[in-house]
Amino acid sequence: MFTFLAAIILLIVGYLTYGKFVEKVFGVNENNVCPAYAKQDGVDFVPMEWKRASLIQLLNIAGLGPIFGPIMGALWGPVAFIWIVLGSIFAGAVHDYFSGMLSVRNGGAGLPDMVGKYLGRGMKAFTNVFALVLLVLVGTVFMTGPAKLLANLTPGWMTLGVWVGIILVYYVLATLLPVDKIIGRVYPFFGALLLIMAFGVAGALILQGYHIPELTLANMHPKGAPIWPLLFITIACGAISGFHATQSPIIARCTQNEKYGRKIFYGMMIAEGIIALIWAAAGMSFYGSYEGLAAVLAPGGPGPAGVVKEVATTMLGAVGGTMAVLGVIVLPITSGDTAFRGARMLIADFLKMDQKPFGKRLVIAIPLFTVGYLLTLIDFNFLWRYFAWANQTTAMIMLWAAAVYLVQEKKFHWVASVPAAFMTVVTFTYILMAPEGFKLATGIAYPLGFVLALIPIGLFIKKVLGMNNDQLTVSPAKKPVS
């Protein structure tokens, strides 16, 4: 119990101290006119009060990520607490802050434009494709998952296909209509649901006497799955997630003043970290053993959704169980709709297509949702595996972009470059050993992952040294005119 409570306190202290330090490194200018006003169009660029924007940001980035990921990560034991705390404070919240504030500073730019400005045209082209694939994958998996749950809870004539169609219609509306018409109105309520459900479980864990294990570095996974790098991919949302970099520009276009950036972007990632801690603790303590949790999460079992329902129903009663089921259904939908909205904005930015006319939004949306629907016909687990790796790879790219920005501005780049280097090693090592990757043995994947990661790290060091040399170069004095 002490470790769990200490971890929550550390996250809050991290927001109050390191969050303020990161804000100081970035250099907030309250006199800058934000794109919400400079480009106000009534569709995507809409000034929004910071409390409302914060709740929308939380729901955009959260979804099921800080619930399902930590529940599965709980299999490794209390070491998951360390990753959630350190990852959230020093990597995830830094990533979210810079992806949001660099967007604000660059006129509401999307991820590819930010990457292109700081990492070059080649990386911009790669990120355009990579981010679009990631967004469509997110939208698709978060359409199929809740549709399956709804099909199981409703009469037989409400089939999976019917629910996919209903959710798809909602996605179309949320993607095409101005951000303050649907998303801005209903998301704060859904954000409150997410928080109430999480804090209700936290209170029950403490008051009902559940045994939350104390800190140990031992690997508690029943099957002995290695902590490195699997834990760091399994717990993405709740520690660091590249999907957030595709969502932050949505709220960056609604932010009223740069001074609210720490609350909206850094703060909501810390809030997500707290939610992740709660569900990781529930996973470790509810079933009494890691073997018990593993049995529920095994293929063919109820899975993370079943854990959420059982935990909430037992701890919070019928009302809590109902809220849990509602949350498991609603939360992925509220990530899926903004994923498709982000994809529309990304394509519009690439084509330089004005999104104020409804017809131009429709031109992008029709083929986008056609592809999304066709992907729902593919196996859900297949899509999810590739999403997990793509998610962390996107985070790594955004952190490198932030690090280069800080170097260019002659600021303390280590706040971004250190987590960027760490995530580079994680993503390279994972894809080398993962079943959906190269399937190499750990004895080969570990050293090879580190060696390959030295390539982008070396390129960054070269860039830093190059900029430092440029600063030292003195222009030759002009010859006096005779």
Side-chain angles (χ1 to χ4, degrees):
M1 183 71 72
F2 172 79
T3 300
F4 172 64
L5 295 175
I8 292 178
I9 292 171
L10 284 173
L11 282 174
I12 296 171
V13 171
Y15 167 74
L16 296 173
T17 56
Y18 196 70
K20 188 167 287 188
F21 175 71
V22 170
E23 181 183 54
K24 185 177 180 180
V25 169
F26 178 79
V28 167
N29 186 342
E30 296 183 19
N31 296 319
N32 282 348
V33 178
C34 291
Y37 294 106
K39 295 185 175 182
Q40 189 169 352
D41 63 1
V43 178
D44 295 319
F45 294 86
V46 180
M48 196 175 291
E49 195 265 335
W50 75 265
K51 293 179 183 177
R52 187 180 176 199
S54 295
L55 275 176
I56 295 172
Q57 172 71 2
L58 176 61
L59 212 55
N60 282 359
I61 66 175
L64 290 178
I67 301 176
F68 279 19
I71 286 173
M72 293 185 285
L75 288 171
W76 279 276
V79 69
F81 291 150
I82 300 176
W83 170 230
I84 292 171
V85 171
L86 297 182
S88 294
I89 295 172
F90 298 107
V94 173
H95 168 276
D96 287 16
Y97 183 80
F98 279 98
S99 63
M101 294 306 293
L102 286 179
S103 179
V104 171
R105 282 281 175 90
N106 288 280
L111 173 63
D113 285 333
M114 288 187 283
V115 169
K117 181 173 182 178
Y118 301 112
L119 298 183
R121 292 181 179 179
M123 282 303 298
K124 177 180 179 179
F126 173 78
T127 307
N128 256 312
V129 176
F130 203 81
L132 183 59
V133 170
L134 175 62
L135 285 167
V136 174
L137 282 175
V138 171
T140 301
V141 298
F142 286 164
M143 187 191 317
T144 306
K148 287 182 177 179
L149 286 169
L150 286 164
N152 291 332
L153 294 171
T154 51
W157 62 272
M158 296 291 287
T159 63
L160 175 62
V162 171
W163 279 114
V164 166
I166 292 173
I167 294 173
L168 189 60
V169 169
Y170 165 75
Y171 277 6
V172 171
L173 292 174
T175 299
L176 294 176
L177 293 177
V179 69
D180 60 338
K181 298 304 180 185
I182 292 183
I183 292 174
R185 292 183 180 180
V186 302
Y187 268 37
F189 297 104
F190 292 152
L193 171 65
L194 177 67
L195 292 172
I196 291 170
M197 187 166 64
F199 288 118
V201 170
L205 283 171
I206 296 170
L207 298 176
Q208 296 177 18
Y210 284 89
H211 173 68
I212 303 175
E214 300 298 348
L215 182 62
T216 174
L217 298 180
N219 184 352
M220 309 303 293
H221 199 289
K223 294 185 178 180
I227 294 174
W228 176 270
L230 298 186
L231 174 64
F232 304 92
I233 295 291
T234 302
I235 302 180
C237 297
I240 180 172
S241 168
F243 173 62
H244 299 185
T246 67
Q247 300 300 288
S248 292
I250 295 176
I251 299 303
R253 299 182 183 196
C254 302
T255 301
Q256 294 177 322
N257 193 293
E258 287 189 5
K259 67 181 180 180
Y260 299 128
R262 182 164 66 99
K263 297 175 181 176
I264 296 173
F265 301 113
Y266 195 100
M268 291 306 98
M269 180 61 227
I270 294 298
E272 185 177 274
I274 293 173
I275 294 169
L277 276 175
I278 292 168
W279 284 103
M284 292 178 207
S285 59
F286 182 77
Y287 293 97
S289 69
Y290 297 105
E291 288 76 14
L293 176 62
V296 179
L297 296 177
V307 174
V308 172
K309 182 178 179 181
E310 192 172 356
V311 166
T313 302
T314 303
M315 292 185 177
L316 305 178
V319 174
T322 301
M323 290 180 65
V325 173
L326 181 61
V328 170
I329 292 170
V330 168
L331 294 176
I333 294 175
T334 55
S335 289
D337 59 5
T338 50
F340 278 115
R341 188 179 188 89
R344 173 182 64 76
M345 291 163 56
L346 188 152
I347 295 171
D349 290 345
F350 177 75
L351 299 176
K352 301 188 185 311
M353 185 182 291
D354 181 16
Q355 290 296 277
K356 192 169 184 178
F358 183 82
K360 291 188 176 180
R361 280 176 262 158
L362 200 60
V363 166
I364 296 175
I366 290 175
L368 188 63
F369 282 108
T370 301
V371 172
Y373 173 74
L374 292 175
L375 285 175
T376 64
L377 306 178
I378 298 176
D379 178 60
F380 177 86
N381 292 324
F382 174 83
L383 292 174
W384 184 263
R385 287 197 302 270
Y386 282 98
F387 157 70
W389 173 75
N391 189 39
Q392 300 300 65
T393 301
T394 303
M396 175 260 290
I397 294 170
M398 181 64 231
L399 283 169
W400 281 126
V404 171
Y405 160 79
L406 292 173
V407 171
Q408 291 178 351
E409 296 295 316
K410 303 179 181 64
K411 296 181 178 180
F412 190 73
H413 68 78
W414 299 100
V415 296
S417 58
V418 170
F422 179 80
M423 292 309 300
T424 301
V425 179
V426 168
T427 53
F428 277 45
T429 306
Y430 177 81
I431 199 63
L432 289 172
M433 62 183 292
E436 62 272 21
F438 294 94
K439 304 178 183 179
L440 297 178
T442 55
I444 300 173
Y446 284 179
L448 185 57
F450 277 91
V451 170
L452 291 177
L454 290 176
I455 297 173
I457 294 171
L459 290 173
F460 175 74
I461 294 173
K462 181 180 178 182
K463 195 171 190 69
V464 172
L465 294 175
M467 289 180 179
N468 289 338
N469 289 335
D470 289 342
Q471 294 168 19
L472 294 173
T473 301
V474 181
S475 300
K478 292 184 179 180
K479 294 181 180 180
V481 179
S482 56

